[in-house]
Amino acid sequence: MNHDVLEKNLLRPATRSALDELTHVPGAQPRAPRGPLRTDQDVRIAIVHDWLVTYAGAEKVLEQMIACFPDADLFSLVDFLDDRSFLRGKPVTTSFIQKLPRARSKYRAYLPLMPLAIEQLDVSAYDVVISSSHAVAKGILTGPDQVHISYVHSPIRYAWDLQHQYLQQSKLTHGPKSVLARLILHYIRNWDIRTANSVDSFISNSAFIARRIKKVYQRDAQVIFPPVDVDAFSLCTQKEDFYLTASRMVPYKKIDLIVEAFARMPTRKLVVIGDGPEMAKIRAKAGPNVEILGYQPFEVLKDHMSRAKAFVFAAEEDFGISVVEAQACGTPVIAFGKGGALETVRDLSGPQPTGMFFDRQDAEAIVAAVERFDELAQRFVPADCRANAEQFSAERFRERLFAHVRAAVPALRGVTLPPYVQYVPNPPGLEHSEREGQHELPADLPRILAVDQSGVLGGAELSLLEIVKALRSRVEVVLFDDGPFRSELAKTGVAVNVLDAGVLKNIRKQGGSLPKGQALKGLLALVRATAQRARAADVIYANTQRAMVIGAVAGKLVRRPVVWHLRDIVSAEHFGGKQLAIIKWCARLGLKHVIANSAASAQAFAQLTQFDSKRIDVVFNGISAEPFDALRAVPQATLRERLKLPRDAFLVGSFSRLARWKGQHVLLEAMVLNPQMHAVLVGAALFGEDQYEVELHAFVAAHGLGERVHFLGFQHDIPACMCAVDAVVHTSITPEPFGRVIVEGMLARRPVVAARAGGVLEIIDDHENGILCTPGDAHALADTLAELRSNDELREKLVENGYRSALSRFGTQSYVDGVARILKDVART
């Protein structure tokens, strides 16, 4: 680059505003440069990124580039970011693809236009152009007096070595569309090679990618490993007996192979974190020793990475950030021996190993590697893993990148790397403690119409209440019945409308006559009223089955997508034949997406309806620990006195509405066998199940249990009731969709005993964080409770592990984030 040209252009930083037209004609006059961006720098810098739609590995590199050059201007094909904090508030100049139809969700479909689009971004007013490229960013047009440095995450993989895999996954192996796709990819390869000539200096994110660059472009590249936020992870030397894998569930990550391998090793436990289109396939391969947690927030991922015995990684990655993150926790890695992992993991052939490799991407090789790891586990020292990870820190990346750019640009050789300043997007004056206490709403959250059939505070309603509290500024609620639920919703400040459900109130899940005549008119009126309110919303969020039926029809009328939060196992054990038929009809008619509260619920729904598994997500219910933690200092004797419970007895609590399938009679039968214990039944007969309550009282009288069974009826303060008892039981005799009371019991720091069926199996690890019993078996329940009463060590273990798992897996933050993310994605499409 001409040094004199740079010297003439001191203090003239420039950018161009967002494009006013869909295309920019090459050769047209450039936009006038804007005023100076800073006074201590004389080189104008532009950073070009492929597309801005998420915050992943490439965006972490971009974040550190901006930290190195805080006054650089940003360019990208599209910018649909929700969380923009890593851009430090910078605006982004985008291409004409930003304005094309459905670009937000289908931007990849515009691949044939991307070479043209990147060439229309005008960076002619800049002295230095830094491209962050895994697709087309390196093709930005630069002149002879500009320095172009390209950080290449990979040459366009689906146009080069992954072309055949891309065509197979896109079902483009035969026919006219296949011919067209191959022609487009051929054109992109030619364009990709040609544009490599305009790059002055290549940087690769690994030696593996440097070899790719050499083979494709015939150019050498300096290796600068991408930044890993190792400071966000801390060294943990105490490991537990489970393995971990965490990734987006897409084919090339090979999570299915890891799960298949562990299914062949039933004595070894695997925890899987992540979600994606392969979720259903992976769940189908999982055995009882494989725990699939789905999407989890960072804190949960970090906790599992810290405690895992080893991190298993089966992908051929260009680099593999998660491999380094695991080592930052002191956790060794079992990885496929190809790609970037060979550069980030030290194997047993050298000193201070941090992991080991397997040489084939198949289940047999993974099994052999895990077995060998178990034999040699003492060779891996957590401190060595941490030390190896620190060489990939963000600070090291900034130092190396800045040095590379400074060496390539003579005018920068006297400039030093600016100090790293943590970007805080909150307005000045907001204290740290205030920021920590807020639940930050996702950007671009849609307008939501939440629909629920009930006015009582059941489990579904309590779960919806958590969503409304967090998203209340974007939510309106419609109920089909009045009651305590409306009052609780009103306290959040959300708008609540109660519609008259008429005869629908009398329809139960187990069956009954469908409405006819005048009743049908009432049904149609309910649909019309819901549809009217849905017009002002972007998405309808149905929280219960009856609400889903109304919502599906209303959504069809006003062309709004409908998301059903499925909180039931839709089987003949829970629903009547007519109700199941209606659910199948609604799935075909008007459901866009389903959120299931457990894998058991998701599987039953998929089997019944043949619904596309890609449109079903599992999001565990979120339950706040705050009301339980608030009672930690309150003596149990005080709580028992308040509830008029015996002070010194061993109390076993059941927390559920009184219904036969909830199995309170099983607990009463166990009490007959356990004369040293008392039973506390919290709940009322809510949905026409009064006869069952009569039968329970009759059983108590017939067996002389009057002094040892305490019916407390409906209670508002469930945390106080739970903290007053010594153990919590869940006695459902048919599979439970989730089991909210189990998590609540864990948060109350009480040992939990639950029926072994349905969603319960996704919450409890037997004799680790709770105990499982055969549904309906009073003798087994009695024996288990007797063991709990006499075994202090077991109770303490269950309490400690239960509380920890409840916090990490069923927190309100991850629950709200998961639901909000799905509603936002559905509203976009």
Side-chain angles (χ1 to χ4, degrees), residues 293-332:
L293 301 185
Y295 166 80
Q296 294 294 325
F298 173 73
E299 288 301 322
V300 177
L301 172 64
K302 181 173 71 172
D303 174 63
H304 282 81
M305 271 189 171
S306 298
R307 295 186 288 112
K309 187 176 186 178
F311 185 81
V312 188
F313 187 79
E316 180 184 343
E317 284 278 20
D318 305 332
F319 178 72
I321 287 178
S322 60
V323 169
V324 179
E325 290 175 335
Q327 293 175 80
C329 298
T331 300

Tab-separated table of all heavy atoms in Angstrom, residues 293-332:
chain	number	residue	atom	x	y	z
A	293	LEU	N	-30.938	-32.502	27.799
A	293	LEU	CA	-31.467	-31.312	28.461
A	293	LEU	C	-32.006	-30.281	27.487
A	293	LEU	O	-32.668	-29.328	27.900
A	293	LEU	CB	-30.379	-30.658	29.319
A	293	LEU	CG	-29.764	-31.513	30.430
A	293	LEU	CD1	-28.803	-30.677	31.259
A	293	LEU	CD2	-30.845	-32.111	31.321
A	294	GLY	N	-31.746	-30.435	26.173
A	294	GLY	CA	-32.175	-29.430	25.210
A	294	GLY	C	-31.383	-28.146	25.375
A	294	GLY	O	-30.283	-28.121	25.946
A	295	TYR	N	-31.950	-27.071	24.840
A	295	TYR	CA	-31.276	-25.767	24.981
A	295	TYR	C	-31.196	-25.374	26.453
A	295	TYR	O	-32.155	-25.508	27.203
A	295	TYR	CB	-32.046	-24.695	24.202
A	295	TYR	CG	-31.610	-23.284	24.565
A	295	TYR	CD1	-30.464	-22.731	24.020
A	295	TYR	CD2	-32.347	-22.539	25.486
A	295	TYR	CE1	-30.059	-21.455	24.374
A	295	TYR	CE2	-31.939	-21.258	25.842
A	295	TYR	CZ	-30.792	-20.719	25.285
A	295	TYR	OH	-30.396	-19.468	25.642
A	296	GLN	N	-30.024	-24.878	26.859
A	296	GLN	CA	-29.836	-24.406	28.223
A	296	GLN	C	-29.052	-23.099	28.200
A	296	GLN	O	-28.194	-22.888	27.340
A	296	GLN	CB	-29.068	-25.439	29.062
A	296	GLN	CG	-29.802	-26.736	29.296
A	296	GLN	CD	-31.041	-26.563	30.149
A	296	GLN	OE1	-31.062	-25.739	31.063
A	296	GLN	NE2	-32.079	-27.326	29.855
A	297	PRO	N	-29.313	-22.194	29.143
A	297	PRO	CA	-28.544	-20.954	29.210
A	297	PRO	C	-27.091	-21.219	29.572
A	297	PRO	O	-26.727	-22.316	30.016
A	297	PRO	CB	-29.259	-20.145	30.296
A	297	PRO	CG	-29.966	-21.156	31.126
A	297	PRO	CD	-30.343	-22.265	30.189
A	298	PHE	N	-26.270	-20.189	29.409
A	298	PHE	CA	-24.824	-20.343	29.586
A	298	PHE	C	-24.459	-20.880	30.964
A	298	PHE	O	-23.581	-21.741	31.084
A	298	PHE	CB	-24.133	-19.001	29.341
A	298	PHE	CG	-22.670	-19.020	29.660
A	298	PHE	CD1	-21.772	-19.682	28.833
A	298	PHE	CD2	-22.192	-18.383	30.795
A	298	PHE	CE1	-20.421	-19.715	29.137
A	298	PHE	CE2	-20.845	-18.403	31.104
A	298	PHE	CZ	-19.949	-19.072	30.267
A	299	GLU	N	-25.112	-20.390	32.020
A	299	GLU	CA	-24.742	-20.806	33.370
A	299	GLU	C	-24.920	-22.306	33.568
A	299	GLU	O	-24.123	-22.953	34.252
A	299	GLU	CB	-25.557	-20.030	34.407
A	299	GLU	CG	-25.157	-18.569	34.537
A	299	GLU	CD	-23.696	-18.390	34.933
A	299	GLU	OE1	-23.210	-19.191	35.752
A	299	GLU	OE2	-23.048	-17.474	34.418
A	300	VAL	N	-25.957	-22.869	32.966
A	300	VAL	CA	-26.189	-24.312	33.087
A	300	VAL	C	-25.128	-25.078	32.309
A	300	VAL	O	-24.584	-26.089	32.779
A	300	VAL	CB	-27.599	-24.668	32.577
A	300	VAL	CG1	-27.813	-26.180	32.620
A	300	VAL	CG2	-28.649	-23.966	33.416
A	301	LEU	N	-24.809	-24.601	31.099
A	301	LEU	CA	-23.760	-25.239	30.311
A	301	LEU	C	-22.438	-25.218	31.062
A	301	LEU	O	-21.735	-26.243	31.149
A	301	LEU	CB	-23.628	-24.527	28.963
A	301	LEU	CG	-22.436	-24.952	28.093
A	301	LEU	CD1	-22.584	-26.407	27.679
A	301	LEU	CD2	-22.314	-24.058	26.871
A	302	LYS	N	-22.099	-24.073	31.604
A	302	LYS	CA	-20.823	-23.940	32.326
A	302	LYS	C	-20.783	-24.881	33.529
A	302	LYS	O	-19.745	-25.509	33.794
A	302	LYS	CB	-20.636	-22.487	32.766
A	302	LYS	CG	-19.323	-22.242	33.492
A	302	LYS	CD	-19.091	-20.765	33.751
A	302	LYS	CE	-20.024	-20.218	34.798
A	302	LYS	NZ	-19.666	-18.825	35.187
A	303	ASP	N	-21.879	-24.966	34.258
A	303	ASP	CA	-21.929	-25.842	35.433
A	303	ASP	C	-21.671	-27.294	35.047
A	303	ASP	O	-20.892	-27.990	35.704
A	303	ASP	CB	-23.296	-25.701	36.109
A	303	ASP	CG	-23.471	-26.680	37.259
A	303	ASP	OD1	-22.714	-26.597	38.232
A	303	ASP	OD2	-24.360	-27.554	37.167
A	304	HIS	N	-22.308	-27.745	33.958
A	304	HIS	CA	-22.105	-29.131	33.525
A	304	HIS	C	-20.698	-29.351	32.975
A	304	HIS	O	-20.088	-30.404	33.212
A	304	HIS	CB	-23.154	-29.516	32.486
A	304	HIS	CG	-24.496	-29.823	33.068
A	304	HIS	ND1	-25.403	-28.847	33.421
A	304	HIS	CD2	-25.090	-31.017	33.384
A	304	HIS	CE1	-26.487	-29.418	33.919
A	304	HIS	NE2	-26.324	-30.712	33.907
A	305	MET	N	-20.167	-28.374	32.253
A	305	MET	CA	-18.796	-28.500	31.748
A	305	MET	C	-17.802	-28.617	32.893
A	305	MET	O	-16.814	-29.350	32.809
A	305	MET	CB	-18.436	-27.300	30.878
A	305	MET	CG	-18.777	-27.456	29.411
A	305	MET	SD	-18.073	-26.120	28.431
A	305	MET	CE	-18.422	-26.740	26.768
A	306	SER	N	-18.046	-27.888	33.965
A	306	SER	CA	-17.137	-27.892	35.115
A	306	SER	C	-17.139	-29.236	35.824
A	306	SER	O	-16.097	-29.698	36.295
A	306	SER	CB	-17.517	-26.783	36.095
A	306	SER	OG	-17.409	-25.516	35.495
A	307	ARG	N	-18.302	-29.851	35.923
A	307	ARG	CA	-18.424	-31.071	36.715
A	307	ARG	C	-18.218	-32.353	35.925
A	307	ARG	O	-18.050	-33.423	36.505
A	307	ARG	CB	-19.808	-31.114	37.365
A	307	ARG	CG	-20.058	-30.011	38.384
A	307	ARG	CD	-21.369	-30.163	39.118
A	307	ARG	NE	-22.535	-29.879	38.297
A	307	ARG	CZ	-23.429	-30.779	37.914
A	307	ARG	NH1	-23.280	-32.044	38.274
A	307	ARG	NH2	-24.457	-30.428	37.175
A	308	ALA	N	-18.237	-32.276	34.582
A	308	ALA	CA	-18.186	-33.483	33.756
A	308	ALA	C	-16.841	-34.195	33.876
A	308	ALA	O	-15.791	-33.572	34.042
A	308	ALA	CB	-18.458	-33.130	32.298
A	309	LYS	N	-16.908	-35.498	33.743
A	309	LYS	CA	-15.702	-36.323	33.754
A	309	LYS	C	-14.874	-36.068	32.498
A	309	LYS	O	-13.642	-36.024	32.544
A	309	LYS	CB	-16.125	-37.794	33.833
A	309	LYS	CG	-15.006	-38.792	34.020
A	309	LYS	CD	-15.600	-40.183	34.176
A	309	LYS	CE	-14.537	-41.210	34.506
A	309	LYS	NZ	-15.145	-42.560	34.699
A	310	ALA	N	-15.581	-35.899	31.366
A	310	ALA	CA	-14.914	-35.584	30.095
A	310	ALA	C	-15.945	-35.000	29.141
A	310	ALA	O	-17.152	-35.240	29.280
A	310	ALA	CB	-14.271	-36.822	29.481
A	311	PHE	N	-15.460	-34.237	28.176
A	311	PHE	CA	-16.307	-33.649	27.135
A	311	PHE	C	-16.088	-34.438	25.858
A	311	PHE	O	-14.954	-34.640	25.416
A	311	PHE	CB	-15.925	-32.179	26.922
A	311	PHE	CG	-16.811	-31.453	25.944
A	311	PHE	CD1	-18.044	-30.956	26.337
A	311	PHE	CD2	-16.407	-31.259	24.633
A	311	PHE	CE1	-18.861	-30.284	25.447
A	311	PHE	CE2	-17.210	-30.581	23.734
A	311	PHE	CZ	-18.448	-30.099	24.131
A	312	VAL	N	-17.182	-34.921	25.256
A	312	VAL	CA	-17.095	-35.765	24.065
A	312	VAL	C	-17.459	-34.934	22.835
A	312	VAL	O	-18.500	-34.266	22.808
A	312	VAL	CB	-18.020	-36.993	24.175
A	312	VAL	CG1	-17.779	-37.957	23.015
A	312	VAL	CG2	-17.783	-37.714	25.503
A	313	PHE	N	-16.616	-35.016	21.795
A	313	PHE	CA	-16.752	-34.141	20.628
A	313	PHE	C	-16.481	-34.977	19.379
A	313	PHE	O	-15.386	-35.498	19.192
A	313	PHE	CB	-15.739	-33.003	20.743
A	313	PHE	CG	-15.862	-31.934	19.699
A	313	PHE	CD1	-16.830	-30.948	19.799
A	313	PHE	CD2	-14.974	-31.894	18.638
A	313	PHE	CE1	-16.925	-29.951	18.846
A	313	PHE	CE2	-15.058	-30.903	17.679
A	313	PHE	CZ	-16.038	-29.929	17.783
A	314	ALA	N	-17.495	-35.116	18.500
A	314	ALA	CA	-17.369	-36.033	17.363
A	314	ALA	C	-17.376	-35.337	16.014
A	314	ALA	O	-17.353	-36.001	14.983
A	314	ALA	CB	-18.505	-37.069	17.410
A	315	ALA	N	-17.393	-34.014	15.982
A	315	ALA	CA	-17.468	-33.291	14.712
A	315	ALA	C	-16.072	-33.048	14.143
A	315	ALA	O	-15.081	-33.007	14.867
A	315	ALA	CB	-18.188	-31.960	14.901
A	316	GLU	N	-16.028	-32.859	12.831
A	316	GLU	CA	-14.809	-32.361	12.193
A	316	GLU	C	-14.977	-30.858	12.026
A	316	GLU	O	-15.564	-30.379	11.069
A	316	GLU	CB	-14.577	-33.023	10.828
A	316	GLU	CG	-13.329	-32.542	10.125
A	316	GLU	CD	-13.166	-33.118	8.735
A	316	GLU	OE1	-13.838	-34.130	8.416
A	316	GLU	OE2	-12.377	-32.552	7.945
A	317	GLU	N	-14.462	-30.123	13.005
A	317	GLU	CA	-14.646	-28.680	13.049
A	317	GLU	C	-13.402	-27.957	12.537
A	317	GLU	O	-12.281	-28.456	12.648
A	317	GLU	CB	-14.931	-28.221	14.480
A	317	GLU	CG	-16.340	-28.501	14.957
A	317	GLU	CD	-17.335	-27.456	14.485
A	317	GLU	OE1	-17.044	-26.742	13.510
A	317	GLU	OE2	-18.410	-27.365	15.107
A	318	ASP	N	-13.626	-26.746	12.032
A	318	ASP	CA	-12.496	-25.918	11.639
A	318	ASP	C	-11.649	-25.547	12.852
A	318	ASP	O	-10.435	-25.442	12.762
A	318	ASP	CB	-12.997	-24.632	10.968
A	318	ASP	CG	-13.918	-24.943	9.795
A	318	ASP	OD1	-13.753	-26.007	9.189
A	318	ASP	OD2	-14.807	-24.114	9.516
A	319	PHE	N	-12.308	-25.317	13.977
A	319	PHE	CA	-11.589	-25.011	15.216
A	319	PHE	C	-12.205	-25.772	16.379
A	319	PHE	O	-11.636	-26.707	16.897
A	319	PHE	CB	-11.593	-23.503	15.471
A	319	PHE	CG	-10.915	-23.110	16.752
A	319	PHE	CD1	-9.533	-23.189	16.866
A	319	PHE	CD2	-11.644	-22.666	17.844
A	319	PHE	CE1	-8.899	-22.843	18.054
A	319	PHE	CE2	-11.023	-22.306	19.025
A	319	PHE	CZ	-9.647	-22.397	19.127
A	320	GLY	N	-13.411	-25.412	16.784
A	320	GLY	CA	-14.097	-26.110	17.871
A	320	GLY	C	-13.961	-25.386	19.194
A	320	GLY	O	-13.190	-25.788	20.065
A	321	ILE	N	-14.726	-24.298	19.354
A	321	ILE	CA	-14.623	-23.477	20.561
A	321	ILE	C	-15.027	-24.255	21.810
A	321	ILE	O	-14.417	-24.120	22.864
A	321	ILE	CB	-15.481	-22.203	20.395
A	321	ILE	CG1	-14.794	-21.240	19.414
A	321	ILE	CG2	-15.707	-21.503	21.737
A	321	ILE	CD1	-15.565	-19.973	19.136
A	322	SER	N	-16.060	-25.098	21.702
A	322	SER	CA	-16.531	-25.819	22.888
A	322	SER	C	-15.452	-26.737	23.456
A	322	SER	O	-15.418	-26.984	24.672
A	322	SER	CB	-17.789	-26.633	22.551
A	322	SER	OG	-17.529	-27.581	21.538
A	323	VAL	N	-14.570	-27.243	22.610
A	323	VAL	CA	-13.474	-28.090	23.074
A	323	VAL	C	-12.552	-27.296	23.997
A	323	VAL	O	-12.089	-27.795	25.040
A	323	VAL	CB	-12.699	-28.643	21.860
A	323	VAL	CG1	-11.395	-29.297	22.305
A	323	VAL	CG2	-13.553	-29.649	21.103
A	324	VAL	N	-12.272	-26.059	23.627
A	324	VAL	CA	-11.409	-25.205	24.453
A	324	VAL	C	-12.145	-24.785	25.726
A	324	VAL	O	-11.560	-24.734	26.813
A	324	VAL	CB	-10.949	-23.973	23.654
A	324	VAL	CG1	-10.080	-23.075	24.523
A	324	VAL	CG2	-10.187	-24.406	22.407
A	325	GLU	N	-13.439	-24.486	25.614
A	325	GLU	CA	-14.215	-24.085	26.792
A	325	GLU	C	-14.206	-25.197	27.846
A	325	GLU	O	-14.097	-24.924	29.046
A	325	GLU	CB	-15.634	-23.739	26.378
A	325	GLU	CG	-15.731	-22.458	25.559
A	325	GLU	CD	-17.126	-22.180	25.040
A	325	GLU	OE1	-17.913	-23.147	24.894
A	325	GLU	OE2	-17.441	-21.009	24.755
A	326	ALA	N	-14.339	-26.437	27.391
A	326	ALA	CA	-14.312	-27.560	28.331
A	326	ALA	C	-12.964	-27.614	29.052
A	326	ALA	O	-12.905	-27.785	30.279
A	326	ALA	CB	-14.586	-28.862	27.585
A	327	GLN	N	-11.886	-27.451	28.306
A	327	GLN	CA	-10.555	-27.483	28.931
A	327	GLN	C	-10.372	-26.313	29.888
A	327	GLN	O	-9.675	-26.435	30.895
A	327	GLN	CB	-9.479	-27.463	27.849
A	327	GLN	CG	-9.449	-28.731	27.005
A	327	GLN	CD	-8.452	-28.641	25.872
A	327	GLN	OE1	-7.255	-28.834	26.080
A	327	GLN	NE2	-8.934	-28.343	24.665
A	328	ALA	N	-11.000	-25.169	29.578
A	328	ALA	CA	-10.916	-24.020	30.484
A	328	ALA	C	-11.518	-24.341	31.844
A	328	ALA	O	-11.163	-23.723	32.853
A	328	ALA	CB	-11.608	-22.811	29.862
A	329	CYS	N	-12.440	-25.307	31.878
A	329	CYS	CA	-13.032	-25.762	33.145
A	329	CYS	C	-12.190	-26.836	33.820
A	329	CYS	O	-12.559	-27.337	34.886
A	329	CYS	CB	-14.431	-26.325	32.898
A	329	CYS	SG	-15.609	-25.144	32.231
A	330	GLY	N	-11.086	-27.229	33.171
A	330	GLY	CA	-10.285	-28.322	33.694
A	330	GLY	C	-10.811	-29.682	33.290
A	330	GLY	O	-10.429	-30.700	33.868
A	331	THR	N	-11.669	-29.715	32.275
A	331	THR	CA	-12.302	-30.966	31.838
A	331	THR	C	-11.606	-31.495	30.588
A	331	THR	O	-11.533	-30.780	29.575
A	331	THR	CB	-13.790	-30.738	31.537
A	331	THR	OG1	-14.433	-30.263	32.723
A	331	THR	CG2	-14.462	-32.014	31.072
A	332	PRO	N	-11.092	-32.733	30.619
A	332	PRO	CA	-10.435	-33.290	29.432
A	332	PRO	C	-11.435	-33.595	28.325
A	332	PRO	O	-12.645	-33.646	28.562
A	332	PRO	CB	-9.784	-34.568	29.960
A	332	PRO	CG	-10.578	-34.928	31.173
A	332	PRO	CD	-11.056	-33.639	31.765
